[in-house]
Amino acid sequence: MHLRPVVRIAILASGGGSNAQRLIEHFRGSAVAGVVLVAGDRPQAGVFARAWDLGVPAYRFTAVQLRDGTLLRELQAQKVDLVVLAGFLRLVPVELLRAFPDRVLNIHPALLPRHGGKGMWGHHVHAAVLAAGDNESGITIHRVNERYDEGEHLFQARCPVLPTDTPGTLAARVLALEHAHYPPVVERVALTLGR
Ligand code: GAR
């Protein structure tokens, strides 16, 4: 029997890494895809401890190495097929996007095109949703292009914004949506990447 090779996923993350953990766990033992690398730009980020605990190789890079092709060479050396951003806060260089056409995904903790763009990450997003008086928020999973949060949308899910919400309570509701939906949406994309 011929088994299709597993799609090799690299996660790029800057923060605590709860989405990275969900993705790693979702694809453990999967015949479709597997997380082969967690790469991050902030040495103190919690995502590295999670990768270590879960037995996934971790790779640290600097802002310069993101721009000068060092990270791209590492992804190619690891034969990565799909790059998944999970709380990654830097702009992805165009050379990396060209090397992975339509193969770089991101999750944003709001209903794009609202509340996206440079500087809109984490609690800044939820504070902006509350300041705007929106009565709903949610998540957007999209392909990445050379501008922050502007690539093709693949999936959105919604949740209410409550009058009593703080950025923290809204973040928790949105994060639950991220954990529920990011792994299966990434899997759907991986299934289209027959090699
Ligand atoms: C997530 O809420 C993700 O959507 C957000 O950062 C958080 C990372 O959490 N990303 C952005 O705001 C990107 N603009 P995690 O490190 O626990 O996965």
Side-chain angles (χ1 to χ4, degrees):
M1 188 176 65
H2 175 72
L3 285 180
R4 196 158 57 94
V6 164
V7 171
R8 296 171 64 82
I9 295 173
I11 295 175
L12 304 194
S14 304
S18 70
N19 279 287
Q21 178 168 349
R22 293 299 169 119
L23 288 159
I24 291 166
E25 288 170 346
H26 179 86
F27 288 109
R28 189 162 268 169
S30 165
V32 175
V35 178
V36 298
L37 187 70
V38 170
D41 59 319
R42 288 181 55 233
Q44 73 280 23
V47 70
F48 289 114
R50 295 205 201 230
W52 173 262
D53 288 346
L54 293 161
V56 176
Y59 178 78
R60 289 182 192 173
F61 57 92
T62 63
V64 170
Q65 289 173 324
L66 174 64
R67 288 192 301 271
D68 73 5
T70 306
L71 173 65
L72 174 55
R73 284 192 293 279
E74 178 65 18
L75 297 176
Q76 289 169 330
Q78 300 298 330
K79 301 196 182 324
V80 166
D81 303 300
L82 181 61
V83 178
V84 176
L85 312 190
F88 184 62
L89 304 183
R90 293 186 183 275
L91 196 61
V92 177
V94 70
E95 293 75 19
L96 196 153
L97 295 174
R98 286 205 187 112
F100 292 92
D102 289 335
R103 289 170 178 233
V104 184
L105 309 181
N106 182 41
I107 190 162
H108 186 78
L111 296 170
L112 291 173
R114 287 182 73 67
H115 310 300
K118 189 169 167 56
M120 289 303 267
W121 55 270
H123 62 279
H124 298 291
V125 176
H126 305 300
V129 170
L130 294 178
D134 294 358
N135 58 18
E136 62 174 7
S137 189
I139 64 170
T140 305
I141 298 169
H142 63 94
R143 294 194 204 275
V144 174
N145 67 15
E146 61 283 359
R147 289 178 299 279
Y148 281 105
D149 302 325
E150 288 190 18
E152 175 199 356
H153 291 187
L154 299 175
F155 178 86
Q156 288 190 312
R158 292 161 192 274
C159 64
V161 175
L162 305 179
T164 51
D165 267 334
T166 63
T169 59
L170 180 56
R173 197 173 306 120
V174 170
L175 195 62
L177 286 180
E178 299 186 37
H179 293 166
H181 294 291
Y182 207 15
V185 172
V186 171
E187 181 167 346
R188 241 173 44 212
V189 173
L191 279 167
T192 68
L193 300 181
R195 286 199 287 167

